[in-house]
Structures are given as C-alpha cells and as structure tokens.
Amino acid sequence: MAEMNEATIRKDRLRFTKNKLSANLVILSIVANALYFVDIYRSNVGNYYYTLLIGISVVYNLVFMLAAFLSSEGIKNYKLSYCFVAIVLGIIQAGRIFWLPISALNAPNPVVGAENATVMTGGQFAFVTACLVISAALLVIAGITGIIKTTTLNNYRAELEKNDMRS
C-alpha cells in the first residue's frame, strides 16, 4: 500500500467527517440576522413599521432562516448546490442594507417631533447594518469554504475510483 502523506490524509478525512466549519458559519449568520430583526421589530416609532414593507420583511426573515438552515445542513454533508445557495443568501443579506435600514434612517420620526429626528437613529443603523454585513460575510465565507472542501472531496473520490479501476 502506498504511503500516505499529510495532504492525502486530510483529503481522506473529509470522507468521514462533516463540514462543520461551513455549517456553523451559516448558523452564526442566522444568529446575526436574528439580532437584526429583533432590533428592528422592537422599535416603536408611531406607525412607521406597521406597513406592508414590514410584513414582507417578516416573511422574508422566516424564509431566510429556513433557507439558511437548510443550506447549513446541505453544506455539512458536502452538497455543492447548497454552497451556492449560501453565497446567494449572503449577497441578498448585503443588499438588504439598502432596503429597510436606509429608508428608516432617512424617514422623519413622527413621534419625536424634533427637527432632523429620524425613525432609525445613527446608532441603531450602525448596529443593524453591522448585523447584516456580518450575516452576509459569514454566508459567503461558508459558501466558499464549502465549495473548496466539497470540490476537494469530490476530486479525491474520483481519484480513488480511478485507482480502484486500475487495480
């Protein structure tokens, strides 16, 4: 039997372990998203958040968490398509910054009544933006890491099959 070097051992281990790193990064992105929407939905600024926009946002958050969790499970089991789902979800998360947070940052606050008061304060905007950026980054990193590991495993399996056919 041929002597196995360290790189081959690392590739061989992929056959027997789950891709926990990528899966856990996706779970952390769900946590960051949860912090985002809890901070948004706890705000009480008149009727600003009681619109169809918030209803759509609530439904999106539920769909996002479901899709991200499903993606986490798929990535954990080295399914390449779920890596791409994670990357797409990450891009959408980054795009969400320009939807609700920016519109709330620029909308006048009907409750405070002070000049230049907006629905979302600068501090809250910074926090929710950070949550979305973190969530997006974690998803993209998880997807890229998943692609690398899955491709490595698939190539190694093909190499093993090729060597078995020669024997």
Side-chain angles (χ1 to χ4, degrees):
M1 181 172 221
E3 184 178 314
M4 292 185 136
N5 63 20
E6 196 171 317
T8 306
I9 291 170
R10 256 188 268 120
K11 287 190 280 187
D12 198 51
R13 281 194 80 228
L14 291 175
R15 295 189 311 156
F16 307 105
T17 60
K18 301 281 186 187
N19 186 356
K20 291 180 188 173
L21 172 65
S22 296
N24 288 338
L25 290 175
V26 174
I27 298 299
L28 286 174
S29 79
I30 294 171
V31 171
N33 184 70
L35 292 172
Y36 160 80
F37 76 75
V38 165
D39 193 68
I40 293 278
Y41 301 155
R42 74 173 172 77
S43 300
N44 186 14
V45 278
N47 290 332
Y48 182 80
Y49 287 121
Y50 299 108
T51 63
L52 181 60
L53 179 69
I54 291 299
I56 293 169
S57 177
V58 169
V59 171
Y60 173 80
N61 277 310
L62 293 172
V63 170
F64 165 81
M65 288 187 295
L66 180 63
F69 182 75
L70 181 62
S71 172
S72 168
E73 289 299 307
I75 289 173
K76 188 190 313 182
N77 293 304
Y78 299 102
K79 306 283 190 216
L80 192 59
S81 59
Y82 289 103
C83 300
F84 295 109
V85 169
I87 292 171
V88 168
L89 287 173
I91 292 167
I92 293 170
Q93 284 294 86
R96 290 179 71 195
I97 296 167
F98 304 102
W99 180 29
L100 189 61
I102 286 186
S103 67
L105 181 66
N106 294 324
N109 190 329
V111 175
V112 174
E115 196 173 317
N116 298 330
T118 58
V119 170
M120 187 178 286
T121 64
Q124 184 184 22
F125 177 76
F127 177 75
V128 297
T129 300
C131 288
L132 288 174
V133 167
I134 290 167
S135 178
L138 289 170
L139 284 162
V140 170
I141 292 167
I144 291 170
T145 305
I147 289 169
I148 292 168
K149 286 186 171 189
T150 302
T151 303
T152 301
L153 177 61
N154 290 343
N155 291 342
Y156 183 66
R157 284 179 178 159
E159 183 182 314
L160 289 176
E161 281 182 28
K162 187 173 141 185
N163 289 340
D164 282 347
M165 289 181 160
R166 287 184 187 166
S167 300

mmCIF file of all heavy atoms in Angstrom, residues 90-136:
data_model
loop_
_atom_site.group_PDB
_atom_site.id
_atom_site.type_symbol
_atom_site.label_atom_id
_atom_site.label_comp_id
_atom_site.label_asym_id
_atom_site.label_seq_id
_atom_site.Cartn_x
_atom_site.Cartn_y
_atom_site.Cartn_z
ATOM 1 N N GLY A 90 -26.084 35.338 1.105
ATOM 2 C CA GLY A 90 -25.161 36.363 1.592
ATOM 3 C C GLY A 90 -25.258 37.639 0.779
ATOM 4 O O GLY A 90 -25.260 38.749 1.339
ATOM 5 N N ILE A 91 -25.358 37.508 -0.530
ATOM 6 C CA ILE A 91 -25.491 38.686 -1.389
ATOM 7 C C ILE A 91 -26.806 39.412 -1.103
ATOM 8 O O ILE A 91 -26.846 40.643 -1.018
ATOM 9 C CB ILE A 91 -25.380 38.274 -2.877
ATOM 10 C CG1 ILE A 91 -23.953 37.796 -3.172
ATOM 11 C CG2 ILE A 91 -25.778 39.413 -3.805
ATOM 12 C CD1 ILE A 91 -23.797 37.083 -4.504
ATOM 13 N N ILE A 92 -27.869 38.653 -0.913
ATOM 14 C CA ILE A 92 -29.169 39.256 -0.595
ATOM 15 C C ILE A 92 -29.101 39.965 0.760
ATOM 16 O O ILE A 92 -29.636 41.068 0.921
ATOM 17 C CB ILE A 92 -30.293 38.196 -0.618
ATOM 18 C CG1 ILE A 92 -30.503 37.692 -2.045
ATOM 19 C CG2 ILE A 92 -31.596 38.764 -0.061
ATOM 20 C CD1 ILE A 92 -31.412 36.482 -2.153
ATOM 21 N N GLN A 93 -28.443 39.346 1.739
ATOM 22 C CA GLN A 93 -28.303 39.977 3.059
ATOM 23 C C GLN A 93 -27.598 41.327 2.932
ATOM 24 O O GLN A 93 -27.998 42.297 3.561
ATOM 25 C CB GLN A 93 -27.525 39.077 4.017
ATOM 26 C CG GLN A 93 -28.302 37.909 4.569
ATOM 27 C CD GLN A 93 -29.433 38.313 5.479
ATOM 28 O OE1 GLN A 93 -30.538 38.596 5.023
ATOM 29 N NE2 GLN A 93 -29.175 38.350 6.760
ATOM 30 N N ALA A 94 -26.549 41.380 2.136
ATOM 31 C CA ALA A 94 -25.837 42.653 1.940
ATOM 32 C C ALA A 94 -26.745 43.675 1.273
ATOM 33 O O ALA A 94 -26.736 44.856 1.637
ATOM 34 C CB ALA A 94 -24.572 42.423 1.118
ATOM 35 N N GLY A 95 -27.547 43.234 0.321
ATOM 36 C CA GLY A 95 -28.469 44.138 -0.358
ATOM 37 C C GLY A 95 -29.575 44.666 0.538
ATOM 38 O O GLY A 95 -30.111 45.762 0.300
ATOM 39 N N ARG A 96 -29.898 43.935 1.574
ATOM 40 C CA ARG A 96 -30.967 44.369 2.487
ATOM 41 C C ARG A 96 -30.619 45.650 3.228
ATOM 42 O O ARG A 96 -31.510 46.343 3.714
ATOM 43 C CB ARG A 96 -31.276 43.265 3.503
ATOM 44 C CG ARG A 96 -31.963 42.088 2.874
ATOM 45 C CD ARG A 96 -32.240 41.022 3.878
ATOM 46 N NE ARG A 96 -33.292 41.453 4.790
ATOM 47 C CZ ARG A 96 -33.562 40.858 5.941
ATOM 48 N NH1 ARG A 96 -32.858 39.819 6.320
ATOM 49 N NH2 ARG A 96 -34.519 41.290 6.705
ATOM 50 N N ILE A 97 -29.355 45.972 3.321
ATOM 51 C CA ILE A 97 -28.938 47.220 3.977
ATOM 52 C C ILE A 97 -29.597 48.408 3.279
ATOM 53 O O ILE A 97 -29.986 49.378 3.927
ATOM 54 C CB ILE A 97 -27.400 47.363 3.947
ATOM 55 C CG1 ILE A 97 -26.762 46.253 4.769
ATOM 56 C CG2 ILE A 97 -26.963 48.740 4.437
ATOM 57 C CD1 ILE A 97 -25.266 46.107 4.564
ATOM 58 N N PHE A 98 -29.746 48.322 1.977
ATOM 59 C CA PHE A 98 -30.279 49.428 1.191
ATOM 60 C C PHE A 98 -31.798 49.455 1.147
ATOM 61 O O PHE A 98 -32.386 50.325 0.514
ATOM 62 C CB PHE A 98 -29.708 49.367 -0.235
ATOM 63 C CG PHE A 98 -28.220 49.373 -0.239
ATOM 64 C CD1 PHE A 98 -27.513 48.197 -0.442
ATOM 65 C CD2 PHE A 98 -27.514 50.536 0.011
ATOM 66 C CE1 PHE A 98 -26.127 48.187 -0.426
ATOM 67 C CE2 PHE A 98 -26.131 50.532 0.033
ATOM 68 C CZ PHE A 98 -25.438 49.364 -0.186
ATOM 69 N N TRP A 99 -32.418 48.512 1.822
ATOM 70 C CA TRP A 99 -33.870 48.433 1.803
ATOM 71 C C TRP A 99 -34.445 49.079 3.050
ATOM 72 O O TRP A 99 -34.762 50.260 3.058
ATOM 73 C CB TRP A 99 -34.276 46.965 1.662
ATOM 74 C CG TRP A 99 -35.743 46.694 1.623
ATOM 75 C CD1 TRP A 99 -36.727 47.518 1.168
ATOM 76 C CD2 TRP A 99 -36.394 45.514 2.062
ATOM 77 N NE1 TRP A 99 -37.942 46.912 1.284
ATOM 78 C CE2 TRP A 99 -37.777 45.681 1.830
ATOM 79 C CE3 TRP A 99 -35.962 44.324 2.610
ATOM 80 C CZ2 TRP A 99 -38.717 44.703 2.133
ATOM 81 C CZ3 TRP A 99 -36.898 43.361 2.902
ATOM 82 C CH2 TRP A 99 -38.259 43.548 2.665
ATOM 83 N N LEU A 100 -34.579 48.381 4.133
ATOM 84 C CA LEU A 100 -35.233 48.893 5.336
ATOM 85 C C LEU A 100 -34.357 49.828 6.166
ATOM 86 O O LEU A 100 -34.810 50.926 6.531
ATOM 87 C CB LEU A 100 -35.744 47.715 6.172
ATOM 88 C CG LEU A 100 -36.644 48.066 7.352
ATOM 89 C CD1 LEU A 100 -37.899 48.775 6.881
ATOM 90 C CD2 LEU A 100 -37.015 46.812 8.103
ATOM 91 N N PRO A 101 -33.126 49.482 6.483
ATOM 92 C CA PRO A 101 -32.337 50.378 7.336
ATOM 93 C C PRO A 101 -32.132 51.781 6.747
ATOM 94 O O PRO A 101 -32.302 52.774 7.450
ATOM 95 C CB PRO A 101 -31.005 49.646 7.496
ATOM 96 C CG PRO A 101 -31.344 48.210 7.327
ATOM 97 C CD PRO A 101 -32.426 48.204 6.285
ATOM 98 N N ILE A 102 -31.798 51.856 5.474
ATOM 99 C CA ILE A 102 -31.554 53.182 4.884
ATOM 100 C C ILE A 102 -32.848 53.978 4.789
ATOM 101 O O ILE A 102 -32.857 55.176 5.058
ATOM 102 C CB ILE A 102 -30.837 53.061 3.527
ATOM 103 C CG1 ILE A 102 -29.379 52.694 3.791
ATOM 104 C CG2 ILE A 102 -30.936 54.350 2.730
ATOM 105 C CD1 ILE A 102 -28.485 52.671 2.601
ATOM 106 N N SER A 103 -33.952 53.323 4.437
ATOM 107 C CA SER A 103 -35.218 54.066 4.361
ATOM 108 C C SER A 103 -35.641 54.565 5.747
ATOM 109 O O SER A 103 -36.151 55.673 5.880
ATOM 110 C CB SER A 103 -36.320 53.220 3.722
ATOM 111 O OG SER A 103 -36.677 52.130 4.542
ATOM 112 N N ALA A 104 -35.416 53.771 6.790
ATOM 113 C CA ALA A 104 -35.765 54.208 8.152
ATOM 114 C C ALA A 104 -34.806 55.285 8.653
ATOM 115 O O ALA A 104 -35.196 56.165 9.416
ATOM 116 C CB ALA A 104 -35.752 53.013 9.107
ATOM 117 N N LEU A 105 -33.560 55.221 8.224
ATOM 118 C CA LEU A 105 -32.589 56.244 8.623
ATOM 119 C C LEU A 105 -32.932 57.599 8.020
ATOM 120 O O LEU A 105 -32.697 58.637 8.640
ATOM 121 C CB LEU A 105 -31.178 55.829 8.193
ATOM 122 C CG LEU A 105 -30.048 56.778 8.560
ATOM 123 C CD1 LEU A 105 -29.875 56.834 10.084
ATOM 124 C CD2 LEU A 105 -28.755 56.356 7.892
ATOM 125 N N ASN A 106 -33.534 57.592 6.831
ATOM 126 C CA ASN A 106 -33.864 58.841 6.143
ATOM 127 C C ASN A 106 -35.287 59.329 6.391
ATOM 128 O O ASN A 106 -35.627 60.435 5.994
ATOM 129 C CB ASN A 106 -33.629 58.672 4.633
ATOM 130 C CG ASN A 106 -32.170 58.457 4.307
ATOM 131 O OD1 ASN A 106 -31.292 59.033 4.938
ATOM 132 N ND2 ASN A 106 -31.905 57.617 3.331
ATOM 133 N N ALA A 107 -36.134 58.522 7.028
ATOM 134 C CA ALA A 107 -37.533 58.896 7.265
ATOM 135 C C ALA A 107 -37.652 59.733 8.534
ATOM 136 O O ALA A 107 -37.057 59.404 9.562
ATOM 137 C CB ALA A 107 -38.395 57.643 7.378
ATOM 138 N N PRO A 108 -38.426 60.820 8.492
ATOM 139 C CA PRO A 108 -38.610 61.629 9.710
ATOM 140 C C PRO A 108 -39.394 60.861 10.764
ATOM 141 O O PRO A 108 -40.321 60.125 10.457
ATOM 142 C CB PRO A 108 -39.397 62.846 9.216
ATOM 143 C CG PRO A 108 -39.934 62.477 7.884
ATOM 144 C CD PRO A 108 -39.125 61.344 7.345
ATOM 145 N N ASN A 109 -39.003 61.024 12.019
ATOM 146 C CA ASN A 109 -39.649 60.327 13.131
ATOM 147 C C ASN A 109 -40.925 61.075 13.507
ATOM 148 O O ASN A 109 -40.865 62.218 13.966
ATOM 149 C CB ASN A 109 -38.700 60.259 14.322
ATOM 150 C CG ASN A 109 -39.203 59.361 15.422
ATOM 151 O OD1 ASN A 109 -40.403 59.230 15.621
ATOM 152 N ND2 ASN A 109 -38.291 58.762 16.147
ATOM 153 N N PRO A 110 -42.089 60.432 13.356
ATOM 154 C CA PRO A 110 -43.351 61.108 13.662
ATOM 155 C C PRO A 110 -43.602 61.261 15.166
ATOM 156 O O PRO A 110 -44.406 62.076 15.581
ATOM 157 C CB PRO A 110 -44.402 60.200 13.027
ATOM 158 C CG PRO A 110 -43.772 58.845 13.010
ATOM 159 C CD PRO A 110 -42.301 59.085 12.846
ATOM 160 N N VAL A 111 -42.922 60.504 15.996
ATOM 161 C CA VAL A 111 -43.167 60.523 17.431
ATOM 162 C C VAL A 111 -42.352 61.614 18.116
ATOM 163 O O VAL A 111 -42.868 62.383 18.915
ATOM 164 C CB VAL A 111 -42.857 59.140 18.055
ATOM 165 C CG1 VAL A 111 -43.002 59.176 19.566
ATOM 166 C CG2 VAL A 111 -43.780 58.092 17.464
ATOM 167 N N VAL A 112 -41.078 61.692 17.803
ATOM 168 C CA VAL A 112 -40.190 62.624 18.496
ATOM 169 C C VAL A 112 -40.552 64.056 18.178
ATOM 170 O O VAL A 112 -40.629 64.894 19.064
ATOM 171 C CB VAL A 112 -38.709 62.329 18.150
ATOM 172 C CG1 VAL A 112 -37.797 63.379 18.739
ATOM 173 C CG2 VAL A 112 -38.332 60.944 18.624
ATOM 174 N N GLY A 113 -40.761 64.365 16.915
ATOM 175 C CA GLY A 113 -41.146 65.702 16.526
ATOM 176 C C GLY A 113 -39.994 66.687 16.478
ATOM 177 O O GLY A 113 -40.160 67.819 16.058
ATOM 178 N N ALA A 114 -38.839 66.311 16.916
ATOM 179 C CA ALA A 114 -37.683 67.206 16.866
ATOM 180 C C ALA A 114 -37.190 67.308 15.431
ATOM 181 O O ALA A 114 -37.338 66.390 14.638
ATOM 182 C CB ALA A 114 -36.576 66.682 17.767
ATOM 183 N N GLU A 115 -36.607 68.455 15.122
ATOM 184 C CA GLU A 115 -36.077 68.649 13.789
ATOM 185 C C GLU A 115 -34.912 67.673 13.561
ATOM 186 O O GLU A 115 -34.101 67.452 14.449
ATOM 187 C CB GLU A 115 -35.588 70.085 13.643
ATOM 188 C CG GLU A 115 -35.389 70.493 12.206
ATOM 189 C CD GLU A 115 -35.073 71.970 12.084
ATOM 190 O OE1 GLU A 115 -35.729 72.766 12.773
ATOM 191 O OE2 GLU A 115 -34.169 72.297 11.325
ATOM 192 N N ASN A 116 -34.846 67.104 12.396
ATOM 193 C CA ASN A 116 -33.801 66.150 12.000
ATOM 194 C C ASN A 116 -33.898 64.797 12.723
ATOM 195 O O ASN A 116 -32.986 63.994 12.602
ATOM 196 C CB ASN A 116 -32.399 66.727 12.193
ATOM 197 C CG ASN A 116 -32.175 67.953 11.334
ATOM 198 O OD1 ASN A 116 -32.756 68.074 10.260
ATOM 199 N ND2 ASN A 116 -31.346 68.863 11.803
ATOM 200 N N ALA A 117 -34.953 64.543 13.499
ATOM 201 C CA ALA A 117 -35.111 63.228 14.132
ATOM 202 C C ALA A 117 -35.630 62.248 13.088
ATOM 203 O O ALA A 117 -36.558 62.555 12.347
ATOM 204 C CB ALA A 117 -36.081 63.306 15.305
ATOM 205 N N THR A 118 -34.999 61.081 13.033
ATOM 206 C CA THR A 118 -35.405 60.077 12.053
ATOM 207 C C THR A 118 -35.929 58.839 12.767
ATOM 208 O O THR A 118 -35.730 58.665 13.973
ATOM 209 C CB THR A 118 -34.218 59.687 11.139
ATOM 210 O OG1 THR A 118 -33.160 59.191 11.942
ATOM 211 C CG2 THR A 118 -33.741 60.875 10.325
ATOM 212 N N VAL A 119 -36.591 57.979 12.003
ATOM 213 C CA VAL A 119 -37.161 56.745 12.556
ATOM 214 C C VAL A 119 -36.063 55.897 13.182
ATOM 215 O O VAL A 119 -36.210 55.357 14.269
ATOM 216 C CB VAL A 119 -37.921 55.964 11.467
ATOM 217 C CG1 VAL A 119 -38.300 54.578 11.947
ATOM 218 C CG2 VAL A 119 -39.152 56.733 11.021
ATOM 219 N N MET A 120 -34.938 55.781 12.479
ATOM 220 C CA MET A 120 -33.832 54.983 12.983
ATOM 221 C C MET A 120 -32.672 55.920 13.332
ATOM 222 O O MET A 120 -32.261 56.737 12.513
ATOM 223 C CB MET A 120 -33.384 53.969 11.924
ATOM 224 C CG MET A 120 -32.345 52.989 12.412
ATOM 225 S SD MET A 120 -31.889 51.767 11.159
ATOM 226 C CE MET A 120 -33.352 50.731 11.170
ATOM 227 N N THR A 121 -32.172 55.773 14.534
ATOM 228 C CA THR A 121 -31.031 56.601 14.948
ATOM 229 C C THR A 121 -29.755 56.097 14.281
ATOM 230 O O THR A 121 -29.708 54.975 13.772
ATOM 231 C CB THR A 121 -30.838 56.551 16.474
ATOM 232 O OG1 THR A 121 -30.505 55.202 16.838
ATOM 233 C CG2 THR A 121 -32.088 57.001 17.215
ATOM 234 N N GLY A 122 -28.740 56.909 14.317
ATOM 235 C CA GLY A 122 -27.455 56.520 13.741
ATOM 236 C C GLY A 122 -26.878 55.293 14.416
ATOM 237 O O GLY A 122 -26.295 54.427 13.760
ATOM 238 N N GLY A 123 -27.028 55.199 15.734
ATOM 239 C CA GLY A 123 -26.517 54.042 16.468
ATOM 240 C C GLY A 123 -27.240 52.763 16.084
ATOM 241 O O GLY A 123 -26.613 51.715 15.898
ATOM 242 N N GLN A 124 -28.563 52.848 15.985
ATOM 243 C CA GLN A 124 -29.325 51.668 15.593
ATOM 244 C C GLN A 124 -28.992 51.284 14.155
ATOM 245 O O GLN A 124 -28.845 50.101 13.842
ATOM 246 C CB GLN A 124 -30.834 51.908 15.728
ATOM 247 C CG GLN A 124 -31.651 50.666 15.419
ATOM 248 C CD GLN A 124 -33.154 50.892 15.459
ATOM 249 O OE1 GLN A 124 -33.626 52.016 15.319
ATOM 250 N NE2 GLN A 124 -33.887 49.813 15.632
ATOM 251 N N PHE A 125 -28.841 52.275 13.289
ATOM 252 C CA PHE A 125 -28.471 51.996 11.902
ATOM 253 C C PHE A 125 -27.126 51.278 11.838
ATOM 254 O O PHE A 125 -26.963 50.307 11.098
ATOM 255 C CB PHE A 125 -28.421 53.290 11.081
ATOM 256 C CG PHE A 125 -27.978 53.083 9.669
ATOM 257 C CD1 PHE A 125 -28.842 52.541 8.733
ATOM 258 C CD2 PHE A 125 -26.692 53.411 9.278
ATOM 259 C CE1 PHE A 125 -28.434 52.334 7.415
ATOM 260 C CE2 PHE A 125 -26.271 53.208 7.973
ATOM 261 C CZ PHE A 125 -27.144 52.673 7.042
ATOM 262 N N ALA A 126 -26.161 51.750 12.620
ATOM 263 C CA ALA A 126 -24.834 51.113 12.638
ATOM 264 C C ALA A 126 -24.945 49.671 13.118
ATOM 265 O O ALA A 126 -24.306 48.768 12.550
ATOM 266 C CB ALA A 126 -23.880 51.900 13.525
ATOM 267 N N PHE A 127 -25.758 49.428 14.144
ATOM 268 C CA PHE A 127 -25.907 48.076 14.682
ATOM 269 C C PHE A 127 -26.558 47.137 13.677
ATOM 270 O O PHE A 127 -26.047 46.042 13.414
ATOM 271 C CB PHE A 127 -26.708 48.092 15.986
ATOM 272 C CG PHE A 127 -26.946 46.719 16.551
ATOM 273 C CD1 PHE A 127 -25.916 46.036 17.183
ATOM 274 C CD2 PHE A 127 -28.174 46.092 16.414
ATOM 275 C CE1 PHE A 127 -26.116 44.752 17.687
ATOM 276 C CE2 PHE A 127 -28.385 44.821 16.918
ATOM 277 C CZ PHE A 127 -27.352 44.150 17.559
ATOM 278 N N VAL A 128 -27.693 47.557 13.090
ATOM 279 C CA VAL A 128 -28.394 46.657 12.169
ATOM 280 C C VAL A 128 -27.593 46.457 10.886
ATOM 281 O O VAL A 128 -27.609 45.368 10.308
ATOM 282 C CB VAL A 128 -29.846 47.110 11.871
ATOM 283 C CG1 VAL A 128 -30.684 47.105 13.136
ATOM 284 C CG2 VAL A 128 -29.912 48.443 11.187
ATOM 285 N N THR A 129 -26.869 47.484 10.463
ATOM 286 C CA THR A 129 -26.007 47.337 9.290
ATOM 287 C C THR A 129 -24.891 46.344 9.584
ATOM 288 O O THR A 129 -24.580 45.482 8.752
ATOM 289 C CB THR A 129 -25.435 48.700 8.858
ATOM 290 O OG1 THR A 129 -26.518 49.582 8.540
ATOM 291 C CG2 THR A 129 -24.533 48.564 7.652
ATOM 292 N N ALA A 130 -24.296 46.451 10.773
ATOM 293 C CA ALA A 130 -23.242 45.506 11.164
ATOM 294 C C ALA A 130 -23.790 44.082 11.197
ATOM 295 O O ALA A 130 -23.121 43.144 10.738
ATOM 296 C CB ALA A 130 -22.658 45.886 12.516
ATOM 297 N N CYS A 131 -24.999 43.905 11.718
ATOM 298 C CA CYS A 131 -25.612 42.566 11.755
ATOM 299 C C CYS A 131 -25.769 41.996 10.349
ATOM 300 O O CYS A 131 -25.454 40.831 10.104
ATOM 301 C CB CYS A 131 -26.966 42.616 12.450
ATOM 302 S SG CYS A 131 -26.883 42.863 14.220
ATOM 303 N N LEU A 132 -26.255 42.824 9.415
ATOM 304 C CA LEU A 132 -26.442 42.347 8.050
ATOM 305 C C LEU A 132 -25.113 42.075 7.353
ATOM 306 O O LEU A 132 -24.976 41.091 6.619
ATOM 307 C CB LEU A 132 -27.270 43.354 7.241
ATOM 308 C CG LEU A 132 -28.751 43.427 7.602
ATOM 309 C CD1 LEU A 132 -29.439 44.548 6.844
ATOM 310 C CD2 LEU A 132 -29.443 42.107 7.333
ATOM 311 N N VAL A 133 -24.120 42.930 7.586
ATOM 312 C CA VAL A 133 -22.800 42.723 6.984
ATOM 313 C C VAL A 133 -22.163 41.448 7.523
ATOM 314 O O VAL A 133 -21.607 40.644 6.767
ATOM 315 C CB VAL A 133 -21.887 43.951 7.213
ATOM 316 C CG1 VAL A 133 -20.440 43.643 6.892
ATOM 317 C CG2 VAL A 133 -22.374 45.135 6.405
ATOM 318 N N ILE A 134 -22.256 41.245 8.830
ATOM 319 C CA ILE A 134 -21.702 40.032 9.442
ATOM 320 C C ILE A 134 -22.410 38.796 8.892
ATOM 321 O O ILE A 134 -21.776 37.802 8.526
ATOM 322 C CB ILE A 134 -21.786 40.101 10.980
ATOM 323 C CG1 ILE A 134 -20.792 41.148 11.504
ATOM 324 C CG2 ILE A 134 -21.551 38.739 11.618
ATOM 325 C CD1 ILE A 134 -21.006 41.523 12.961
ATOM 326 N N SER A 135 -23.737 38.853 8.835
ATOM 327 C CA SER A 135 -24.511 37.727 8.311
ATOM 328 C C SER A 135 -24.108 37.429 6.870
ATOM 329 O O SER A 135 -23.882 36.274 6.505
ATOM 330 C CB SER A 135 -26.008 38.047 8.400
ATOM 331 O OG SER A 135 -26.781 37.005 7.868
ATOM 332 N N ALA A 136 -24.006 38.479 6.054
ATOM 333 C CA ALA A 136 -23.631 38.299 4.648
ATOM 334 C C ALA A 136 -22.230 37.717 4.525
ATOM 335 O O ALA A 136 -22.008 36.771 3.755
ATOM 336 C CB ALA A 136 -23.717 39.636 3.913
#
